[in-house]
Amino acid sequence: MRINCPLCGTRDRREFTYYGDAVYADRPADGAPIEAWDDYLHLRDNPAGETRDLWYHEMGCSSWIEVTRNTVTHEISATRLLTDRKAPAKKGKKT
Amino acid sequence: MPSLIAKSACDGLLPLSEGGVTLSEAAPARVTSVAPFAGQEKATDAALKTMGLGWPKPGQSFTKDEAQILWTGRGQAFLISASPAELDGVAALSDQSDGWARIRLEGAGAEAVLARLVPLDLRTAAFPTGSVARTGLNHMMMVLHRAGAETFDIMVFRSMTASAVHELHHAMKALAARAAAL
Ligand SMILES: [Zn+2]
């Protein structure tokens, strides 16, 4: 498996550390209801298909990367720096 | 105050030579981590240009006489063998001089040695002179800079020096043995 780091180019999986679902980057707003925090911390989808998660280029440039991949085909369709993500729309709301 | 004995990172370990490939320690040099403050990349680039260098893009380096700047990660580069005084106020600067071992691998077989330890395509077509990569030297984090067609400069954390020399020497010996057996 190879992951395309937006800075370093395509690199072997061994250079990266997996963190978890990309939802971790969508921290609820201050004062968000308890349900939003419960969702943020504990509730995860388990899709057969496209999913997004966070990887850290630990043996490389130290960037956090959002990887869009397919759990059925194992295809990685997109990667981007976490800093290039737009402000999440669902912040503070229960999805 | 007792007088302390200054030792370089590779003291007693290098130089080594096997099968026409040499491994040696780079001359001691000032190393400064440069991380431009928010919105100050252009100012950092301008300040570096007055030194004959520039702000490197990912995978890039600049060299001017002794002075070098190597890209080392997102928003970070290492300035080597130069004073960072020009960058005061535009970038976060931290001295790294004694934190890293700087090792030069040189010779016709240098690429083949690294091929055993580095998960990258290091042929000149893919990794030409001047290129820099952050990657692994086996299990160690490394800054790899191609200084010439058959010359690579390797930086690893100083605490990893003995392991890095051991791994590189092992690969050098294996290649030399194979060549001798043919
Ligand atoms: Zn990277």
Side-chain angles (χ1 to χ4, degrees), chain A residues 15-43:
Chain A
E15 294 196 359
F16 299 85
T17 304
Y18 177 77
Y19 186 76
D21 194 291
V23 76
Y24 278 118
D26 298 338
R27 193 179 167 83
D30 287 346
I34 194 80
E35 292 80 8
W37 283 102
D38 182 42
D39 192 11
Y40 173 73
L41 287 171
H42 303 298
L43 304 180

Short mmCIF file of all heavy atoms in Angstrom, two decimals, chain A residues 15-43:
data_model
loop_
_atom_site.label_atom_id
_atom_site.label_comp_id
_atom_site.label_asym_id
_atom_site.label_seq_id
_atom_site.Cartn_x
_atom_site.Cartn_y
_atom_site.Cartn_z
N GLU A 15 5.94 4.49 6.18
CA GLU A 15 6.35 5.83 6.63
C GLU A 15 5.26 6.55 7.40
O GLU A 15 5.51 7.62 7.95
CB GLU A 15 6.75 6.68 5.41
CG GLU A 15 8.00 6.17 4.70
CD GLU A 15 8.59 7.21 3.76
OE1 GLU A 15 8.04 8.32 3.64
OE2 GLU A 15 9.63 6.91 3.15
N PHE A 16 4.05 5.97 7.43
CA PHE A 16 2.90 6.68 8.00
C PHE A 16 2.39 6.01 9.27
O PHE A 16 2.53 4.80 9.46
CB PHE A 16 1.76 6.75 6.99
CG PHE A 16 2.10 7.48 5.72
CD1 PHE A 16 2.73 6.82 4.68
CD2 PHE A 16 1.80 8.83 5.58
CE1 PHE A 16 3.06 7.49 3.51
CE2 PHE A 16 2.12 9.50 4.41
CZ PHE A 16 2.75 8.83 3.37
N THR A 17 1.77 6.81 10.11
CA THR A 17 1.08 6.31 11.29
C THR A 17 -0.40 6.62 11.14
O THR A 17 -0.77 7.75 10.82
CB THR A 17 1.62 7.01 12.56
OG1 THR A 17 3.02 6.82 12.62
CG2 THR A 17 0.98 6.42 13.82
N TYR A 18 -1.23 5.60 11.38
CA TYR A 18 -2.68 5.76 11.29
C TYR A 18 -3.22 6.35 12.58
O TYR A 18 -2.80 5.95 13.67
CB TYR A 18 -3.31 4.39 11.02
CG TYR A 18 -4.81 4.39 10.97
CD1 TYR A 18 -5.47 4.87 9.85
CD2 TYR A 18 -5.56 3.92 12.04
CE1 TYR A 18 -6.86 4.87 9.80
CE2 TYR A 18 -6.95 3.91 11.99
CZ TYR A 18 -7.59 4.39 10.87
OH TYR A 18 -8.94 4.39 10.82
N TYR A 19 -4.11 7.31 12.46
CA TYR A 19 -4.70 7.89 13.67
C TYR A 19 -6.13 7.45 13.88
O TYR A 19 -6.49 6.97 14.94
CB TYR A 19 -4.62 9.41 13.62
CG TYR A 19 -5.09 10.04 14.90
CD1 TYR A 19 -4.27 10.04 16.03
CD2 TYR A 19 -6.35 10.64 15.01
CE1 TYR A 19 -4.69 10.60 17.22
CE2 TYR A 19 -6.76 11.20 16.19
CZ TYR A 19 -5.94 11.18 17.30
OH TYR A 19 -6.36 11.73 18.47
N GLY A 20 -6.97 7.58 12.86
CA GLY A 20 -8.37 7.21 13.01
C GLY A 20 -9.22 7.97 12.02
O GLY A 20 -8.71 8.62 11.10
N ASP A 21 -10.51 7.90 12.22
CA ASP A 21 -11.48 8.54 11.33
C ASP A 21 -11.22 10.04 11.23
O ASP A 21 -10.86 10.67 12.22
CB ASP A 21 -12.90 8.28 11.86
CG ASP A 21 -13.96 8.61 10.82
OD1 ASP A 21 -14.14 9.81 10.51
OD2 ASP A 21 -14.60 7.67 10.32
N ALA A 22 -11.42 10.59 10.03
CA ALA A 22 -11.18 12.02 9.81
C ALA A 22 -12.10 12.90 10.66
O ALA A 22 -11.85 14.10 10.81
CB ALA A 22 -11.35 12.37 8.33
N VAL A 23 -13.14 12.30 11.22
CA VAL A 23 -14.05 13.07 12.07
C VAL A 23 -13.30 13.65 13.27
O VAL A 23 -13.72 14.65 13.85
CB VAL A 23 -15.26 12.20 12.50
CG1 VAL A 23 -14.87 11.22 13.59
CG2 VAL A 23 -16.42 13.07 12.96
N TYR A 24 -12.17 13.07 13.62
CA TYR A 24 -11.38 13.61 14.74
C TYR A 24 -10.94 15.05 14.48
O TYR A 24 -10.62 15.78 15.42
CB TYR A 24 -10.15 12.74 14.99
CG TYR A 24 -10.44 11.51 15.83
CD1 TYR A 24 -10.25 10.24 15.32
CD2 TYR A 24 -10.89 11.64 17.14
CE1 TYR A 24 -10.51 9.11 16.08
CE2 TYR A 24 -11.16 10.52 17.91
CZ TYR A 24 -10.97 9.25 17.38
OH TYR A 24 -11.23 8.15 18.14
N ALA A 25 -10.87 15.43 13.21
CA ALA A 25 -10.48 16.80 12.89
C ALA A 25 -11.65 17.78 13.02
O ALA A 25 -11.46 18.99 12.97
CB ALA A 25 -9.91 16.87 11.47
N ASP A 26 -12.86 17.24 13.18
CA ASP A 26 -14.06 18.09 13.29
C ASP A 26 -14.48 18.19 14.74
O ASP A 26 -15.54 17.71 15.13
CB ASP A 26 -15.20 17.49 12.45
CG ASP A 26 -14.86 17.42 10.98
OD1 ASP A 26 -13.96 18.18 10.55
OD2 ASP A 26 -15.46 16.62 10.28
N ARG A 27 -13.67 18.82 15.52
CA ARG A 27 -13.94 18.94 16.95
C ARG A 27 -15.19 19.79 17.17
O ARG A 27 -15.32 20.86 16.57
CB ARG A 27 -12.72 19.60 17.61
CG ARG A 27 -12.69 19.53 19.10
CD ARG A 27 -11.40 20.21 19.59
NE ARG A 27 -11.47 20.44 21.02
CZ ARG A 27 -11.17 19.49 21.92
NH1 ARG A 27 -10.78 18.31 21.53
NH2 ARG A 27 -11.28 19.75 23.21
N PRO A 28 -16.10 19.33 18.03
CA PRO A 28 -17.30 20.14 18.28
C PRO A 28 -16.94 21.53 18.82
O PRO A 28 -15.91 21.70 19.48
CB PRO A 28 -18.06 19.33 19.33
CG PRO A 28 -17.59 17.93 19.14
CD PRO A 28 -16.14 18.05 18.73
N ALA A 29 -17.81 22.49 18.54
CA ALA A 29 -17.58 23.86 19.01
C ALA A 29 -17.74 23.92 20.53
O ALA A 29 -18.36 23.05 21.14
CB ALA A 29 -18.58 24.80 18.34
N ASP A 30 -17.16 24.96 21.11
CA ASP A 30 -17.38 25.19 22.54
C ASP A 30 -18.88 25.27 22.81
O ASP A 30 -19.61 25.91 22.07
CB ASP A 30 -16.73 26.52 22.97
CG ASP A 30 -15.22 26.40 23.01
OD1 ASP A 30 -14.71 25.27 22.96
OD2 ASP A 30 -14.56 27.45 23.08
N GLY A 31 -19.33 24.62 23.84
CA GLY A 31 -20.74 24.67 24.21
C GLY A 31 -21.62 23.76 23.37
O GLY A 31 -22.85 23.84 23.45
N ALA A 32 -21.00 22.92 22.56
CA ALA A 32 -21.80 21.97 21.76
C ALA A 32 -22.53 21.01 22.71
O ALA A 32 -22.03 20.73 23.81
CB ALA A 32 -20.90 21.19 20.82
N PRO A 33 -23.70 20.53 22.31
CA PRO A 33 -24.45 19.62 23.20
C PRO A 33 -23.68 18.33 23.46
O PRO A 33 -22.83 17.94 22.66
CB PRO A 33 -25.75 19.36 22.42
CG PRO A 33 -25.46 19.73 21.01
CD PRO A 33 -24.41 20.79 21.06
N ILE A 34 -24.02 17.70 24.54
CA ILE A 34 -23.33 16.48 24.97
C ILE A 34 -23.41 15.39 23.89
O ILE A 34 -22.48 14.61 23.71
CB ILE A 34 -23.92 15.99 26.32
CG1 ILE A 34 -23.02 14.94 26.96
CG2 ILE A 34 -25.34 15.47 26.18
CD1 ILE A 34 -21.84 15.52 27.69
N GLU A 35 -24.51 15.41 23.12
CA GLU A 35 -24.67 14.42 22.06
C GLU A 35 -23.58 14.59 20.98
O GLU A 35 -23.12 13.61 20.40
CB GLU A 35 -26.06 14.52 21.40
CG GLU A 35 -27.22 14.12 22.29
CD GLU A 35 -27.63 15.24 23.25
OE1 GLU A 35 -27.13 16.38 23.12
OE2 GLU A 35 -28.45 14.94 24.15
N ALA A 36 -23.23 15.86 20.73
CA ALA A 36 -22.19 16.11 19.72
C ALA A 36 -20.85 15.55 20.18
O ALA A 36 -20.08 14.97 19.39
CB ALA A 36 -22.08 17.61 19.45
N TRP A 37 -20.57 15.69 21.47
CA TRP A 37 -19.31 15.15 22.01
C TRP A 37 -19.33 13.63 22.03
O TRP A 37 -18.32 12.98 21.75
CB TRP A 37 -19.07 15.70 23.42
CG TRP A 37 -18.58 17.11 23.38
CD1 TRP A 37 -19.29 18.25 23.61
CD2 TRP A 37 -17.26 17.54 23.02
NE1 TRP A 37 -18.51 19.36 23.44
CE2 TRP A 37 -17.25 18.96 23.08
CE3 TRP A 37 -16.09 16.87 22.64
CZ2 TRP A 37 -16.12 19.71 22.78
CZ3 TRP A 37 -14.96 17.63 22.36
CH2 TRP A 37 -14.97 19.03 22.43
N ASP A 38 -20.49 13.08 22.37
CA ASP A 38 -20.64 11.62 22.37
C ASP A 38 -20.37 11.07 20.97
O ASP A 38 -19.61 10.12 20.78
CB ASP A 38 -22.06 11.26 22.83
CG ASP A 38 -22.27 9.76 22.91
OD1 ASP A 38 -21.35 9.06 23.39
OD2 ASP A 38 -23.33 9.28 22.48
N ASP A 39 -20.96 11.76 19.98
CA ASP A 39 -20.79 11.38 18.58
C ASP A 39 -19.31 11.49 18.18
O ASP A 39 -18.71 10.58 17.60
CB ASP A 39 -21.65 12.32 17.73
CG ASP A 39 -21.76 11.83 16.29
OD1 ASP A 39 -21.36 10.69 16.03
OD2 ASP A 39 -22.25 12.60 15.45
N TYR A 40 -18.71 12.61 18.54
CA TYR A 40 -17.32 12.90 18.17
C TYR A 40 -16.35 11.88 18.77
O TYR A 40 -15.42 11.40 18.12
CB TYR A 40 -16.98 14.31 18.67
CG TYR A 40 -15.53 14.69 18.53
CD1 TYR A 40 -14.98 14.99 17.28
CD2 TYR A 40 -14.71 14.78 19.65
CE1 TYR A 40 -13.65 15.36 17.16
CE2 TYR A 40 -13.38 15.16 19.54
CZ TYR A 40 -12.85 15.45 18.29
OH TYR A 40 -11.54 15.81 18.18
N LEU A 41 -16.61 11.53 20.02
CA LEU A 41 -15.67 10.64 20.70
C LEU A 41 -15.91 9.16 20.44
O LEU A 41 -14.97 8.37 20.37
CB LEU A 41 -15.73 10.88 22.21
CG LEU A 41 -15.09 12.18 22.71
CD1 LEU A 41 -15.42 12.41 24.17
CD2 LEU A 41 -13.58 12.15 22.50
N HIS A 42 -17.20 8.77 20.32
CA HIS A 42 -17.50 7.34 20.39
C HIS A 42 -18.17 6.73 19.17
O HIS A 42 -18.04 5.53 18.95
CB HIS A 42 -18.41 7.06 21.60
CG HIS A 42 -17.83 7.52 22.89
ND1 HIS A 42 -16.65 7.02 23.39
CD2 HIS A 42 -18.24 8.47 23.77
CE1 HIS A 42 -16.37 7.62 24.55
NE2 HIS A 42 -17.31 8.50 24.80
N LEU A 43 -18.94 7.52 18.41
CA LEU A 43 -19.77 6.90 17.38
C LEU A 43 -19.11 6.98 16.01
O LEU A 43 -18.81 8.07 15.53
CB LEU A 43 -21.15 7.57 17.34
CG LEU A 43 -21.89 7.56 18.68
CD1 LEU A 43 -23.25 8.24 18.54
CD2 LEU A 43 -22.05 6.15 19.22
#
